[in-house]
Amino acid sequence: MPERPLPSLNAVRSFVAVARHLSFTRAADELSVTQGAVSRMMQTLQADLGVELIRRVGRGIELTPTGAAFFGEASAALDRIAVAARAARAQEGGVLRVSALPTLTQRWLIPRLKRFQAENPDIQVEVSIGEHRVDFAKERIDVAIRYGVEAWPGADTATLMPETMGVFCAPSLLGQGPPLRHPTDLAQHRLLQHTTRPDSWRVYLAAFGLPLPEAALSLAFEHFFMIIEAASAGMGVALLPVFLVGDDVASGRLVQPFTETLRPRGRYLIAHAPGAERARRVRRFKEWLLTEVEQGAAV
């Protein structure tokens, strides 16, 4: 015997509202329809089920035993449908939680986020900073932007962009003290260190066959944005990702005294949980990041 089709969802919603309030008027207010529409839905549902769900008692109404049982099951089912709908909508829009490197966030990501929001107004972006390897199974992060040489277990990764390192300093540094026209001149200057990349200067100088002048490494900072500020204040010479200081060079806060650069092995990575790209918010953000780089926003 073929199964009978499910009753109208609108009729079930109307019944649940009537059963909750025991009032056609209040049910109509909740559903933003007329009292007559609710009454017709109730008639349709009872005719479809072939049972009486409510009955008149004086000037009010009450549930029949069958109606009370159906109300409990139908109400719970509608709640489950609402939860499923919220989950489905979250896959399309919802909140996107992004964790990115501090200076990249401040100087590259945030100035560009307006474009992403304009293209994806249904996606709410929450940005935090971090440098650790994310455990996507335990942390509430959808997408991480990190720097490294290799991918890591438990994550899908893609290259956002490589990195070009250049030497920068304040304009005032060029007008005083020892010359600064070639990597060989760095031995006569204070070199600002990056504590999370302690080998940066050694690798850079080695590329030109030069030793590391230990005495020059007297100031160290945790983040690139700190080094940028120290360099612009004339405190020393900085080795920085070229794409992070474009505005500083354009404004004259920093200058690049010579053009010798280095392309390290490391690169900037986009990482997320395996399969997370099935969620539109993750897929769209990843596509947007890659487009920003492709259009010349960085390297």
Side-chain angles (χ1 to χ4, degrees):
M1 182 176 178
E3 265 190 42
R4 296 183 64 183
L6 292 171
S8 160
L9 184 60
N10 280 337
V12 173
R13 288 181 66 234
S14 296
F15 164 70
V16 168
V18 169
R20 182 183 303 116
H21 299 293
L22 292 178
S23 165
F24 282 88
T25 301
R26 293 173 65 186
D29 290 341
E30 177 185 318
L31 300 171
S32 298
V33 297
T34 65
Q35 185 175 336
V38 172
S39 179
R40 286 191 295 274
M41 283 292 178
M42 286 299 307
Q43 292 169 10
T44 298
L45 180 62
Q46 292 183 115
D48 187 8
L49 297 178
V51 294
E52 185 182 44
L53 300 175
I54 59 172
R55 59 188 169 210
R56 295 280 179 183
V57 179
R59 301 181 61 181
I61 59 173
E62 68 177 13
L63 297 177
T64 66
T66 301
F70 186 70
F71 169 62
E73 294 293 338
S75 180
L78 288 178
D79 287 343
R80 289 194 296 272
I81 291 172
V83 169
R86 283 196 296 273
R89 290 189 184 107
Q91 293 296 310
E92 292 303 306
V95 178
L96 175 74
R97 296 177 176 86
V98 178
S99 172
L101 299 165
T103 307
L104 182 141
T105 299
Q106 180 190 69
R107 290 180 157 254
W108 190 84
L109 180 59
I110 290 176
R112 290 164 173 79
L113 271 179
K114 185 177 180 180
R115 289 198 282 270
F116 179 78
Q117 288 284 253
E119 296 169 14
N120 303 275
D122 62 318
I123 300 175
Q124 177 186 335
V125 182
E126 292 184 1
V127 180
S128 61
I129 59 173
E131 297 177 288
H132 66 289
R133 181 174 289 190
V134 176
D135 184 344
F136 291 101
K138 297 179 180 178
E139 298 179 61
R140 295 186 67 201
I141 295 173
D142 296 306
V143 177
I145 303 175
R146 295 292 189 265
Y147 180 84
V149 177
E150 299 175 352
W152 62 82
D156 286 348
T157 60
T159 297
L160 175 61
M161 57 185 162
E163 182 180 64
T164 299
M165 301 292 285
V167 173
F168 297 88
C169 66
S172 60
L173 212 62
L174 299 182
Q176 59 188 31
L180 190 56
R181 294 185 291 267
H182 185 269
T184 54
D185 297 327
L186 289 169
Q188 307 302 316
H189 290 267
R190 176 184 287 144
L191 307 182
L192 303 175
Q193 280 198 91
H194 191 307
T195 57
T196 59
R197 296 202 204 172
D199 290 335
S200 294
W201 275 116
R202 181 186 60 76
V203 173
Y204 176 84
L205 291 165
F208 303 101
L210 299 170
L212 179 67
E214 297 286 351
L217 301 174
S218 59
L219 274 176
F221 301 91
E222 183 179 5
H223 300 296
F224 277 131
F225 68 82
M226 298 175 178
I227 298 175
I228 291 169
E229 293 306 310
S232 66
M235 298 172 66
V237 181
L239 184 62
L240 298 165
V242 173
F243 80 95
L244 288 179
V245 293
D247 290 343
D248 299 277
V249 173
S251 68
R253 291 182 76 224
L254 291 176
V255 294
Q256 190 171 7
F258 43 81
T259 59
E260 284 82 356
T261 58
L262 177 70
R263 180 64 66 87
R265 289 180 61 229
R267 63 197 190 279
Y268 291 92
L269 301 170
I270 306 170
H272 54 72
E277 279 184 293
R278 288 194 293 269
R280 176 180 171 272
R281 65 186 186 279
V282 173
R283 185 173 64 253
R284 286 292 300 121
F285 188 68
K286 183 175 179 179
E287 290 170 350
W288 172 78
L289 286 171
L290 294 171
T291 298
E292 285 291 310
V293 173
E294 185 181 345
Q295 292 177 348
V299 237

